[in-house]
Amino acid sequence: MRRWLLCGVCMLLLISLSACRSGKTEFETKVDWVDFIMLDQTMYTHLPHRGIVADPSQVATETPIGFTAFEISGNIHHAGYQPKDGDAAFLPAGTAIYGLNDPSEPAVIAVKDPAEVNGFKLYTAEHSDFQPTAEELDLSKVIRIDIYQTNPSPKRLHVLTGAEMKDFIRLLEKGQDSMDQPDSSAVLTYYDVIFYGMKPYAFSRALADDGRDFIFYGKNVQKVSPEIKKYVE
């Protein structure tokens, strides 16, 4: 009996070693990839809900600067994989990559995406100075605010300038910091609030309506006055 057990263990070890030598494994892990593109040995990462292209004409679509060659998600299942030029986390092979017309932002690239406000998704180079953050959103320098309904696709509801824009900002500034989240049992409605300044990118922030309160996700989570509803209807 012991001899058979020993033989069985040896067979399992041999199968395991054979799998390792062939580069295969019986166990695969789910990897949560960051949304990235590798281009010219540089990793570019997506800027979700932070920086969006302010004007589609700022993207130099006449001549792509490259194309993706391989989609990582769904094809690579181990976190130790080293991305190569042309790899992208969630973009199919053949996706065109564009630069911006603004030479002062060489570390920014874009791909077309109809699900994004203004039709492009921005990526920034690793370790670049182009890192728009919530702290950089200076409401005193905003020159226009667009409000979009986000589902099922971006639909612009309002463009706020002048007195309306100032009133909207007043309501945001009167908001109270809150740890409350929207009522999860309610049917939530989300809006994208796009703040435009003088830069080639704009800032996107979320505004949620749970039927009872409005929650604004700015520098902090804030509960804002129900008066703001007039700007999202």
Side-chain angles (χ1 to χ4, degrees):
M1 182 69 177
R2 289 180 180 177
R3 181 179 298 175
W4 282 107
L5 181 60
L6 181 61
C7 288
V9 171
C10 289
M11 286 296 294
L12 285 173
L13 287 172
L14 287 171
I15 292 170
S16 185
L17 286 170
S18 176
C20 290
R21 287 170 183 167
S22 65
K24 298 179 181 179
T25 177
E26 295 295 325
F27 301 99
E28 292 184 346
T29 58
K30 182 179 179 181
V31 182
D32 292 325
W33 297 105
V34 173
D35 190 356
F36 74 89
I37 299 172
M38 281 292 290
L39 180 68
D40 295 332
Q41 299 184 338
T42 299
M43 178 175 283
Y44 294 79
T45 53
H46 175 44
L47 300 171
H49 304 296
R50 296 190 295 170
I52 64 169
V53 63
D55 183 348
S57 67
Q58 294 173 325
V59 182
T61 55
E62 298 81 9
T63 306
I65 59 175
F67 294 87
T68 60
F70 181 66
E71 183 176 0
I72 299 293
S73 179
N75 293 304
I76 300 296
H77 303 285
H78 56 94
Y81 177 79
Q82 296 298 314
K84 300 181 289 293
D85 274 356
D87 286 356
F90 304 108
L91 299 173
T95 300
I97 305 168
Y98 305 100
L100 297 188
N101 287 317
D102 185 352
S104 69
E105 300 292 359
V108 183
I109 60 176
V111 297
K112 291 182 178 180
D113 188 342
E116 291 283 331
V117 171
N118 292 334
F120 289 92
K121 184 187 283 189
L122 289 184
Y123 293 76
T124 183
E126 205 172 22
H127 309 305
S128 77
D129 293 331
F130 183 87
Q131 292 290 342
T133 62
E135 288 68 29
E136 194 178 343
L137 177 54
D138 186 345
L139 294 177
S140 68
K141 295 181 179 178
V142 172
I143 60 175
R144 187 182 104 213
I145 295 174
D146 288 359
I147 299 175
Y148 283 79
Q149 190 168 356
T150 58
N151 291 317
S153 60
K155 177 184 177 183
R156 188 163 63 185
L157 302 177
H158 294 285
V159 176
L160 306 181
T161 58
E164 284 188 324
M165 182 190 74
K166 291 179 181 178
D167 186 52
F168 187 87
I169 290 174
R170 177 186 65 83
L171 293 173
L172 294 182
E173 291 178 332
K174 284 177 60 180
Q176 300 295 314
D177 287 356
S178 173
M179 296 301 293
D180 294 342
Q181 296 294 324
D183 183 358
S184 59
S185 64
V187 177
L188 301 177
T189 303
Y190 282 94
Y191 303 92
D192 274 345
V193 183
I194 314 298
F195 299 89
Y196 292 87
M198 301 303 293
K199 297 187 177 183
Y201 55 88
F203 290 94
S204 175
R205 295 290 178 268
L207 179 68
D209 175 15
D210 65 5
R212 181 192 63 191
D213 297 310
F214 280 88
I215 304 295
F216 179 66
Y217 297 87
K219 295 179 182 179
N220 302 303
V221 178
Q222 292 179 302
K223 185 180 293 186
V224 296
S225 169
E227 289 181 64
I228 210 163
K229 186 174 184 177
K230 62 187 176 184
Y231 293 113
V232 299
E233 289 181 326

